Each structure stands twice: as structure tokens, then as C-alpha cells.
Amino acid sequence: MLKGWGQQLRVGVGSHALSLLSVGRWGRKPPRVLAECSYMADEEHAALGTALRGLLQEAGVAGRSLSFVLADELVRLWQVTPPANAARMADIEAAAALRFHSLYGEAPAAWQLSADWHASQPFYAAAMPRKLLAVLGQACADSGAAMVEVRPHFVALWNRWQGAIGREAWFGVLHDKLLTLAAIEDGQLRALRPLPLPAGADHYWLGQMVRREALLFNLALPKTVQLCGVLPAALVKPGAGGKDEMSCIHLDAGVQGSSFSAASLLAWAGSAA
């Protein structure tokens, strides 16, 4: 059995890979990769469940608690504007489900919705596939472990870094060629956009994307974009030609030189270590 007082066990779930990490609760020791594996994705998540069960049983996690971080491509994130006459929790839940269906064309019943619910102002919601959650829970139960938390990657990093975001800055999370960009105004999320990272993406490309989103949502241009993830050098540094006033800051620069896999970086996301 794994032993480790003061250690958290975290699982990163990518679209084709899994990683089990041991992370110090108080950031005194560097994270340690305990096991990793890849799998072939399928609609029922059967291969993921088989891979996870084998990974957990081999690591000997019986009696331990596990926290999961899901890659953003496995989940859905969107903004909800509550109806003007919202008076009950059921009203804003219905608004979130309706907005989800209009954006993604999928039945909300197949997804587990969660949000920072608010009846009088726009809020953000996340949806995770119920089948995926059931597979994760069953693999934990079969291995004698307890699933205590499941978070999307963006949510994990937003919760970790929200207090460090500047007043005139936007926030973004880059993972596996997907940039989840958050437009922020007066400390509040105003828009959330997943942007596939093209080959050769640089600081100029980032500036153009930020300008497009600012125009689309009628927001002021940020002076800074603060990013998390393993970043291409050209994305952070302005190109040699032309002047660009928007700066780019790497919030979790400690991951840049790490040898962690993409799945391990998911598991590490949001940790104070």
C-alpha cells in the first residue's frame, strides 16, 4: 500500500493518457510521478476505465483519496446569463441547461453540470460527461480508493491563480495545443474561449486573438495576458518586427523546464506545490 502522510494523490486524465501523481500538501517536496499509461479513447470510456483500474491497482492506492483533473477537451465550459425573473435555483439550473444545449447541441441529461450559481449576474458553468464520471468512480471503487474531487483543468488553475491575476490582465491555460482564454473585466470572468494553437503560434498571433475577443465582447484590451502551461517561447516574447504593447506573463513558469508528461501536468494543475 502507498504510504505518505501529507501527500495528495492526484490523477490527470487526458484524452489519450493518464498519470498518477503524489503531491505534497504544503509544497515542501516536488511532485512525484507514480504511474502513467496511455489508452485508446472510445465513446463509452471503457478503455479509459480499464487503463485507470490497472494503473491504480498496480500503484496500490487502497484506502487513499484521489483527486482528478480532466483535460478541457473532455469537458464543456460556458457562460450563463440568468433570466430576469429568476427566483429559484431551478430557474438558473434550467437556464444553464438551455444555454448548454444551444451551444453544443447535446442533451444536458448526459452531463453533470456544476457552476458558481448566481441569480442576478452572468456566471460560468462546467459540464462533465456522466459516463466518464461513472467510469472514474467505478475504477476507484474497484481499487479500494475514494474519488473525492473532479475538476476541469481550467477550473483547477483558475482557482489556484485567480488572486494573482492583475487588474488589467486576461488569463489563459495552454495544454496539449488547446488554449482556453478567459476575458476578464473588473475581476470578473466575461468570456471564455477555447482556441486551438496553430503551428508556429507566436506573440503576434496571441495579440490578434485577444483583440478579436475584445471586439467581439465589447471589452477593453488587456495590458497583459497571464498564462499557465508549457508555453512556446515565441508565444511569450514579442516578435522582432513591430511594437506590441500587450505583455505576456507565465504564471506557473516552474512547469516549463519539467520533464513531466502532458497527463502529469494535468494532475499537477492547481496544486500549490
Side-chain angles (χ1 to χ4, degrees):
M1 171 189 280
L2 276 172
K3 297 185 182 297
W5 175 255
Q7 297 290 305
Q8 291 181 319
L9 295 184
R10 302 168 65 94
V11 181
V13 181
S15 55
H16 294 91
L18 299 166
S19 181
L20 175 64
L21 221 63
S22 176
V23 179
R25 294 181 185 274
W26 304 285
R28 295 175 181 174
K29 295 182 179 180
R32 182 165 58 98
V33 179
L34 302 178
E36 292 186 315
C37 67
S38 58
Y39 67 92
M40 295 294 292
D42 60 86
E43 290 187 2
E44 300 298 317
H45 307 292
L48 186 158
T50 299
L52 179 60
R53 190 175 299 106
L55 181 146
L56 295 180
Q57 291 177 350
E58 181 179 352
V61 298
R64 300 294 301 274
S65 298
L66 301 177
S67 296
F68 288 80
V69 178
L70 308 184
D72 287 339
E73 55 262 37
L74 298 175
V75 305
R76 302 287 186 265
L77 300 166
W78 73 102
Q79 187 188 44
V80 181
T81 300
N85 59 347
R88 301 173 301 159
M89 183 66 179
D91 296 332
I92 54 176
E93 287 177 335
L98 182 62
R99 182 61 176 160
F100 173 86
H101 181 69
S102 67
L103 286 173
Y104 300 108
E106 301 178 67
W111 298 75
Q112 177 68 52
L113 273 60
S114 62
D116 185 13
W117 306 103
H118 206 291
S120 60
Q121 67 183 37
F123 60 88
Y124 276 81
M128 296 175 280
R130 292 187 185 276
K131 287 183 179 180
L132 174 57
L133 295 177
V135 165
L136 298 181
Q138 188 61 55
C140 287
D142 293 345
S143 306
M147 183 172 71
V148 297
E149 182 182 59
V150 184
R151 289 184 178 181
H153 188 211
F154 176 86
V155 173
L157 286 170
W158 170 259
N159 290 344
R160 169 68 176 87
W161 293 103
Q162 184 178 6
I165 301 173
R167 289 184 57 83
E168 297 183 87
W170 286 12
F171 176 70
V173 174
L174 177 62
H175 175 76
D176 203 16
K177 300 188 183 304
L178 179 67
L179 174 63
T180 304
L181 182 66
I184 303 170
E185 184 180 51
D186 297 328
Q188 299 295 319
L189 279 170
R190 298 303 184 193
L192 196 61
R193 182 78 72 186
L195 301 171
L197 196 73
D202 57 11
H203 191 83
Y204 176 79
W205 173 86
L206 179 63
Q208 292 298 103
M209 293 300 101
V210 168
R211 285 178 174 82
R212 186 188 72 178
E213 297 304 311
L215 286 171
L216 183 62
F217 295 103
N218 194 28
L219 297 173
L221 277 172
K223 292 186 177 180
T224 305
V225 177
Q226 295 176 268
L227 298 178
C228 291
V230 178
L231 308 179
L235 196 68
V236 179
K237 298 179 181 178
K243 180 181 178 181
D244 198 324
E245 295 182 354
M246 187 191 76
S247 63
C248 183
I249 295 176
H250 198 176
L251 284 175
D252 57 350
V255 309
Q256 193 73 19
S258 76
S259 58
F260 282 178
S261 68
S264 293
L265 291 175
L266 284 173
W268 194 7
S271 169

